[in-house]
Amino acid sequence: MKETIKYYYNIDVLNLEEKDGKYFFKYQNQDFFFVFFNRNIEELDDILKCTINMKEKGIDAHNIIVNINGEVLTKVDNYNYILMSVSKFNEEYDIFDIVNMINKLTLNNQTSKLYRNNWSALWSEKMDYFEYQIRELGLEKKVIQESFSYYLGLAENAISYVNNTNLKYNSFDAKITLSHRRIFYPNYKINFLNPLSFIFDLEVRDIAEYLKAMFFSPMNDEDVLEELKCFLRIKKLTLYEYHMLFARLLYPSYYFDLYESVMNNDDSEEKLVPIIAKNKDFELFLKEAYLEISKYAPIDKINWLIN
């Protein structure tokens, strides 16, 4: 990979570190990483446009480096890679930073290939595929076999909640803002300001995903409910958005993301065990989250969870 970077970018790499599929190196006191372009090629122009808009608004997104051909993507063994530079990549972003960032870049009436908001359809399609996958490929995965039906049930609850919300409440005033495909905890700059993670979605998406990531992170010692309370105090939402916030908290992305990694043989299913062990604690959090959100809006109740 050093030779590839030298040829396409004219950079002499002394030490190249590979971690989680990213190739890291330092050059002229800057941090660089060379990474597989894991997005649809049709989204590239909108990703670049989004990055430019962010920089115009003072948001410090990663710099995308063009190669000797003046192109953003570099082909390596028939796969597209992209080179980016970033300063202070271990800088951490909290829930207030997320709110501040999503308020700066909204989609308004523009169209974008990065737009997401069909949660119900996406989740339903995923569940259908996962159920097929379990039947055909998951017979040897004991932990998954014993836990999957519980999280499928949570997902089906979340899908129904979204469908009912879309039928009953007005979504016209819901703000579509810069969001992320994935939010991690701790929420480091290298992930949070990575253009390959950018999408546009409801502003509650990132908040819900951040809270779930925080709840299940072994590195967390913060009170997640207090974080939710802070968000609710500083951000006024529409009735539709309050419902969608709760729906997003309900959907067990924390389980299914790891499930996919296990089924792709990238992780051991033993990593699911501590998540599964906290399911009752998370049910309590969901109940408390419902009660907190209900102080701001009369959101619909899920009887088995709240009663």
Side-chain angles (χ1 to χ4, degrees):
M1 201 61 82
K2 286 183 179 181
E3 292 77 12
T4 298
I5 295 169
K6 168 64 176 174
Y7 177 79
Y8 283 101
Y9 299 95
N10 196 28
I11 295 175
D12 286 309
V13 179
L14 298 178
N15 296 301
L16 189 67
E17 179 185 354
E18 192 273 334
K19 183 179 179 183
D20 298 329
K22 298 181 179 72
Y23 294 88
F24 294 89
F25 63 92
K26 279 187 176 292
Y27 180 70
Q28 294 182 347
N29 296 319
Q30 271 284 316
D31 291 297
F32 290 80
F33 62 107
F34 192 54
V35 62
F36 171 64
F37 182 76
N38 60 355
R39 299 291 292 263
N40 189 319
I41 196 73
E42 294 178 354
E43 297 177 333
L44 179 58
D45 285 346
D46 283 356
I47 290 171
L48 296 174
K49 188 188 303 181
C50 177
T51 305
I52 291 169
N53 288 343
M54 289 177 66
K55 289 185 176 295
E56 289 173 349
K57 293 177 180 291
I59 305 171
D60 188 21
H62 302 347
N63 296 309
I64 296 174
I65 314 299
V66 297
N67 60 28
I68 57 170
N69 301 319
E71 296 172 343
V72 169
L73 300 181
T74 297
K75 192 79 75 175
V76 181
D77 296 330
N78 292 318
Y79 291 99
N80 287 316
Y81 279 73
I82 188 167
L83 180 64
M84 290 179 273
S85 69
V86 54
S87 60
K88 301 178 182 177
F89 63 83
N90 279 333
E91 188 175 352
E92 194 171 340
Y93 289 73
D94 63 17
I95 201 163
F96 299 103
D97 297 316
I98 296 173
V99 172
N100 183 51
M101 180 170 165
I102 61 183
N103 281 333
K104 285 185 176 179
L105 205 62
T106 58
L107 195 57
N108 297 324
N109 296 318
Q110 304 161 278
T111 58
S112 173
K113 291 185 174 67
L114 309 184
Y115 177 58
R116 308 287 191 274
N117 189 19
N118 52 342
W119 298 355
S120 174
L122 289 171
W123 294 346
S124 295
E125 186 178 327
K126 269 194 170 187
M127 293 311 106
D128 289 343
Y129 175 68
F130 290 165
E131 286 187 277
Y132 161 80
Q133 195 177 38
I134 288 284
R135 291 194 302 270
E136 300 296 323
L137 304 172
L139 297 177
E140 303 301 319
K141 308 289 188 185
K142 185 178 179 183
V143 174
I144 287 176
Q145 286 284 348
E146 292 177 352
S147 61
F148 181 80
S149 60
Y150 171 81
Y151 293 98
L152 175 64
L154 278 181
E156 289 174 342
N157 272 242
I159 291 165
S160 295
Y161 205 87
V162 168
N163 287 337
N164 290 336
T165 298
N166 284 327
L167 285 172
K168 293 171 65 176
Y169 303 103
N170 182 0
S171 65
F172 297 135
D173 295 331
K175 188 187 291 184
I176 304 299
T177 69
L178 180 69
S179 305
H180 298 76
R181 295 199 301 176
R182 292 291 178 273
I183 290 279
F184 302 94
Y185 185 88
N187 187 25
Y188 293 128
K189 181 178 184 178
I190 192 164
N191 297 314
F192 189 60
L193 295 183
N194 182 353
L196 299 189
S197 184
F198 295 160
I199 57 172
F200 284 98
D201 203 341
L202 293 174
E203 61 180 327
V204 296
R205 176 193 178 118
D206 275 6
I207 299 301
E209 293 302 324
Y210 177 77
L211 293 172
K212 288 184 289 186
M214 176 184 281
F215 188 94
F216 287 99
S217 171
M219 299 175 67
N220 175 48
D221 57 6
E222 302 289 334
D223 186 330
V224 182
L225 186 64
E226 283 300 317
E227 293 289 305
L228 174 61
K229 290 178 180 179
C230 286
F231 171 72
L232 293 171
R233 283 196 296 268
I234 65 174
K235 187 67 181 177
K236 181 173 175 56
L237 304 173
T238 67
L239 182 57
Y240 175 82
E241 290 168 325
Y242 283 117
H243 278 86
M244 295 297 270
L245 172 62
F246 187 68
R248 194 87 204 185
L249 288 171
L250 186 61
Y251 179 72
S253 51
Y254 50 89
Y255 176 89
F256 291 123
D257 284 350
L258 191 48
Y259 162 90
E260 289 187 271
S261 187
V262 170
M263 296 302 285
N264 290 334
N265 296 314
D266 294 327
D267 273 308
S268 163
E269 66 172 342
E270 294 305 312
K271 285 193 174 182
L272 286 166
V273 172
I275 288 176
I276 295 165
K278 295 185 72 172
N279 61 16
K280 293 301 179 186
D281 291 336
F282 193 68
E283 284 181 17
L284 178 59
F285 168 73
L286 287 173
K287 179 176 180 178
E288 292 172 332
Y290 166 82
L291 295 173
E292 285 302 322
I293 297 170
S294 295
K295 294 176 182 177
Y296 296 84
I299 65 170
D300 296 347
K301 181 189 293 187
I302 296 178
N303 289 326
W304 72 266
L305 183 64
I306 308 306
N307 289 339

